[in-house]
């Protein structure tokens, strides 16, 4: 079924439009808390990529954290011991939801 190519053009020309729909506002102070989780042995999205993204989001006064789980791959929550990752994320979310206004 034919569809609109608008989304393709928006993506293709996003770098030339300062108000593009694909633009990310790293300085958004009213966003929810954000946690980046990385696997130390991730070769698909290496930890340095997550660290770089976390640094970009720190331009905002909203809560931004980064946590790396050494030895974990990209399939972080599918590996044995996934409960440690889930427990950490849940505790972080509960703690930071109380401080988010």
């Amino acid at each position: 079924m034919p569809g609109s190519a608008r989304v393709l053009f928006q993506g293709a020309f996003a770098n030339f439009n300062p108000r593009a729909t694909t633009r990310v506002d790293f300085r958004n102070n009213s966003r929810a808390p954000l946690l980046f989780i990385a696997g130390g042995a991730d070769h698909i999205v290496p930890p340095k990529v997550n660290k770089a993204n976390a640094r970009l989001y720190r331009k905002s006064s909203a809560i931004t954290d980064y946590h790396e789980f050494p030895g974990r791959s990209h399939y972080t929550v599918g590996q044995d011991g996934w409960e440690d990752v889930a427990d950490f994320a849940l505790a972080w979310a509960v703690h930071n939801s109380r401080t988010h206004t």
Side-chain angles (χ1 to χ4, degrees):
M1 176 172 232
S4 170
R6 183 177 184 180
V7 69
L8 298 175
F9 284 105
Q10 286 175 338
F13 296 107
N15 289 338
F16 305 108
N17 180 0
R19 290 184 292 276
T21 57
T22 56
R23 182 180 164 274
V24 175
D25 183 6
F26 295 109
R27 289 175 163 53
N28 181 357
N29 296 324
S30 61
R31 67 166 167 76
L34 178 61
L35 172 63
F36 286 91
I37 294 178
D42 188 343
H43 298 292
I44 296 171
V45 180
K48 67 181 179 181
V49 173
N50 278 320
K51 285 179 190 175
N53 282 324
R55 276 194 304 275
L56 287 171
Y57 279 96
R58 286 197 178 114
K59 294 176 181 176
S60 162
S61 63
I63 297 168
T64 304
D65 285 330
Y66 169 86
H67 189 81
E68 185 175 321
F69 288 89
R72 292 197 160 274
S73 71
H74 187 71
Y75 195 49
T76 302
V77 295
Q79 293 177 279
D80 288 339
W82 65 267
E83 297 91 347
D84 296 335
V85 179
D87 288 342
F88 177 86
L90 180 59
W92 184 92
V94 168
H95 172 77
N96 287 294
S97 67
R98 292 182 186 145
T99 60
H100 179 66
T101 55

